[in-house]
Amino acid sequence: MEIAIIIAVVVVALVFDYTNGFHDAANAIATSVSTGALTPKVALAMAAVMNFVGAFLGQKVAHTVSDTIDPGVGSHGLVIVMAGLIGAIAWNLVTWYYGLPSSSSHALIGGLVGAALAAGATAHWDVVIEKVVLPMLISPLVAFTLGFAVMLAIMWIFRNANPSKANRGFKIAQTISAGAMALGHGLQDAQKTMGVIFLALLTGGYAAEGDGLPLWVIIAAATAISLGTWSGGWRIMRTLGRRIIHLDPPRGFAAESVAASVLYSTAYIFEAPISTTHTITSAVMGVGATKRLSAVRWGVAKSILTAWVLTFPAAGLAAAVTYWIAALFLP
């Protein structure tokens, strides 16, 4: 029975990883597609490949995710992990349907914590606050500020450049920045699924706390998120690429470069599972504000902010309800 539950948890975790891929595909490529730097198919293919590669570049974020809760051991603990995943998937699908770029990362953490609280298990609040909540608040501010500053620098450096030549150059540069963004997405988001699978293996007694991630876990998570990315995320892509602000190639390059830098630094230095969605959206707003503040469609930004605020409690509630239903069938 326990082996069957572990297999089910792994399958559901990979389903979450897949939904993460198509939900967050827009993160890496929306700006490049909207500026005409890349065609949608080429952009998706590049994002899928870079997502796969990025998944192999680190394990620190995965271990942070696995440390957020202690579900206990055995079948009951595995049900808690399963409920957390289902809560995250439910919120991902709701926000994807309405085209809102919410955070898959925070949906996952919110789901795990919600399921743990519903079950009376331990949530490690020090890890949640230090590695999740504080980076959740700080990273968008950093991305917005850097996006604004980098774009001002680009405008000053290229102030005498021929506009058409500059745009052509930045379209080429966007190929690199979009690839860097997709690599950072794989580095951050694939690891979150690896962390949940590792948590399930710990709970089932198939791994020890100090173990590294098994290779099959890395390959499975990398493949799932890449396939999800390839399936696209057109609804959210439209929101990021057009509805917040109409981007030109220099602003697209600036936003992607800033977002990628924030993703790498938080993964390697702070071991924090931050939201790629929050990061790129804030960077887009920052570069857009250099036109004029009114150029950013703040009404759309308000809707996105609402989704951000709701993600933790909504995913947690969905996970708690899932656990309560599952508990009816537990011995």
Side-chain angles (χ1 to χ4, degrees):
M1 181 66 178
E2 200 167 280
I3 293 176
I5 297 176
I6 287 179
I7 293 172
V9 170
V10 170
V11 170
V12 173
L14 294 176
V15 170
F16 167 78
D17 205 19
Y18 180 85
T19 66
N20 190 348
F22 76 69
H23 189 278
D24 289 2
N27 291 342
I29 62 174
T31 53
S32 297
V33 172
S34 68
T35 61
L38 297 171
T39 64
K41 283 190 176 181
V42 169
L44 279 174
M46 182 190 71
V49 171
M50 298 303 276
N51 268 210
F52 186 88
V53 174
F56 289 84
L57 298 183
Q59 299 185 4
K60 292 181 178 179
V61 171
H63 286 295
T64 296
V65 171
S66 67
D67 289 341
T68 53
I69 66 169
D70 181 4
V73 295
S75 300
H76 182 250
L78 290 168
V79 170
I80 294 172
V81 177
M82 173 79 82
L85 283 166
I86 292 174
I89 291 171
W91 184 244
N92 264 1
L93 293 176
V94 168
T95 50
W96 167 81
Y97 180 80
Y98 288 104
L100 293 175
S102 69
S103 168
S104 297
S105 309
H106 298 145
L108 176 60
I109 303 298
L112 290 173
V113 172
L117 293 177
T122 301
H124 295 142
W125 291 108
D126 55 335
V127 176
V128 173
I129 292 172
E130 180 185 345
K131 299 287 189 179
V132 182
V133 175
L134 289 179
M136 176 184 75
L137 299 174
I138 295 170
S139 57
L141 296 175
V142 171
F144 182 94
T145 304
L146 286 179
F148 188 86
V150 168
M151 192 59 222
L152 283 182
I154 288 174
M155 291 167 67
W156 186 81
I157 292 168
F158 292 92
R159 64 191 183 281
N160 297 322
N162 180 285
S164 61
K165 284 185 177 180
N167 277 342
R168 283 198 299 271
F170 277 108
K171 279 187 178 181
I172 295 171
Q174 266 199 281
T175 304
I176 299 171
S177 61
M181 181 68 200
L183 194 70
H185 181 247
L187 171 66
Q188 274 278 349
D189 284 41
Q191 281 194 63
K192 292 155 192 170
T193 299
M194 297 176 205
V196 175
I197 294 176
F198 187 68
L199 179 61
L201 296 176
L202 283 174
T203 304
Y206 290 90
E209 187 67 42
D211 291 350
L213 294 174
L215 182 61
W216 69 266
V217 172
I218 299 173
I219 293 173
T223 302
I225 200 169
S226 296
L227 291 175
T229 299
W230 176 247
S231 70
W234 305 111
R235 291 173 184 266
I236 295 169
M237 195 182 302
R238 187 165 55 248
T239 299
L240 271 179
R242 298 286 184 183
R243 289 179 60 202
I244 295 176
I245 185 171
H246 186 77
L247 292 171
D248 53 27
R251 285 180 170 80
F253 170 78
E256 289 169 343
S257 300
V258 165
S261 300
V262 173
L263 290 176
Y264 297 142
S265 59
T266 50
Y268 287 120
I269 299 173
F270 301 106
E271 304 176 17
I274 69 163
S275 168
T276 53
T277 306
H278 290 198
T279 306
I280 185 62
T281 305
S282 300
V284 167
M285 291 181 186
V287 302
T290 58
K291 281 187 174 180
R292 59 186 186 282
L293 287 178
S294 60
V296 178
R297 297 185 178 98
W298 296 106
V300 177
K302 183 180 177 182
S303 299
I304 294 170
L305 181 62
T306 301
W308 288 359
V309 172
L310 289 177
T311 292
F312 253 97
L317 179 60
V321 170
T322 301
Y323 171 78
W324 289 327
I325 293 171
L328 298 175
F329 304 95
L330 290 174

